[in-house]
Amino acid sequence: MTPANSAEEALDEALALVSRAPEGGGAGGRRALSWPRAREASVHAGAGARARTHRVPLAEALGEVLAAPLDALTDLPSFDTSAMDGWAVAGPGPWSVRTGTGVLAGSDRPEPLADGEAVRIATGARIPADTTAVIRSEHCREAGSQLFADRPVLTGQDIRPRGQECRSGDLLLPAGSLVTPAVLGLAAAAGYDELTTRPRPRVEVLVLGDELLTEGRPHDGLIRDALSPMLGPWLARLGAEVVGTRRLGDDPAGAAALLDAVTTSTADVLVTTGGTASGPVDHVHPVLLKAGAELLVDGVAVRPGHPMLLARIGGRADGRHLVGLPGNPLAAVSGLLTLAEPLLRALAGRRNRPRYTAPVQGDVPGHPYDTRLVPVVLSDEHAVPLRYHGPAMLRGVAAADALAVVPPKGARAGQDLEILDLPWASGGCFT
């Protein structure tokens, strides 16, 4: 048995021996929510905040959500246009070819066609009045001053009539639609220079702990800060505007700085790491109590990451929240997926991700009462669990496409499990 396998089996045995009751008392007697209920509470918290809107140029709206419907400001196309490079013709052929450069996109209104006349035309160019059809270049031939069609010509062929895509005032997209590159293109085509959107939630990250190094190798009981490099980019991928990352100590000065941040930060969401349990230097709960915050989620029945929390700061409509992540790296990832992502999506006005499942390859041990989140690679047929998934490990999730949601008591080979895509693996450039 290799050391890695031995560690895996030790973890599985430890999980099987735990006998804490579901939704029972957690650390300090606090009541842990089930994983599904914690996610619902996070969505509800974000959806209950007062929506903010702003008007921004198209280039700044990418990744935000429309706060107002996108109505057509004009007919699209706004005039009859050619759908192909070729010839605009009037009446039956053969046709007399009009001399000159032809009709180009962006040129002035062309002269009407006489019956039996043809003029060369480019894709996107305005159709001359009295045009019967457009003939593609490859479907006709010139002979002297005349044009002959190689196949039957249908009235209106390869002409995009005015208003084919929409009429002025038509609803193009409803409020709540995500602004993607395609939406930017549609808005520009419809005549928009600016869009009214819901801004990205502003997030400040506070990394707590005295044992963290910012450079070099771990030594003398000190470890590298793995969370500061990870959390900012991860939160940005979830659609947040990360306004800063700070490190605070575990001493009284650090607790005072945390209280100051909780009471004065202008961020919509504070994300803290560590200090959420009940140890001697775990300051998050006392600080939230002193700040008058309302605990919405205080512990979640999930492994790793059960000491995570969600608190509301100030009034319900203010929309300011604190997400407390555990200090262990994979446990912090669990908190991101459980509480931070649903909260940020709701604050941004975005819909929840569509849920989907995949059959798991092999048996997966479970906790007697808690949900487990296990890093997996997605093959064509299965979700393949990865090793190195202890609370302090990042090796598994760094190689993963997603995390699989393993129900209490585990899963059998081939059982369908809910899959939580990681934002970079799911193409989350605009999330």
Side-chain angles (χ1 to χ4, degrees), residues 145-157:
S145 61
Q146 288 193 306
L147 180 75
F148 296 85
D150 294 334
R151 60 185 62 189
V153 176
L154 303 177
T155 299
Q157 73 180 29

Side-chain angles (χ1 to χ4, degrees), residues 86-87 98-105 107-108 110 118-122 125-126 128:
W87 296 84
R98 179 187 290 179
T99 59
T101 58
V103 185
L104 303 177
S107 61
D108 294 335
V119 64
R120 191 177 292 278
I121 194 167
R126 186 188 299 235

Side-chain angles (χ1 to χ4, degrees), residues 191-214:
Y192 284 85
D193 300 315
E194 298 178 322
L195 292 174
T196 300
T197 59
R198 293 183 63 165
R200 298 171 183 266
R202 291 163 51 87
V203 176
E204 184 176 7
V205 179
L206 304 174
V207 178
L208 312 181
D210 290 329
E211 75 282 13
L212 303 177
L213 295 170
T214 59

Side-chain angles (χ1 to χ4, degrees), residues 168-190:
S168 180
D170 283 354
L171 174 65
L172 300 178
L173 290 171
S177 299
L178 178 66
V179 179
T180 65
V183 172
L184 292 179
L186 176 62

Side-chain angles (χ1 to χ4, degrees), residues 351-377:
R351 295 183 290 272
N352 292 332
R353 287 186 182 275
R355 296 177 62 181
Y356 76 97
T357 62
V360 67
Q361 179 175 291
D363 294 345
V364 184
H367 187 279
Y369 305 110
D370 293 354
T371 299
R372 286 186 68 200
L373 302 182
V374 177
V376 295
V377 169

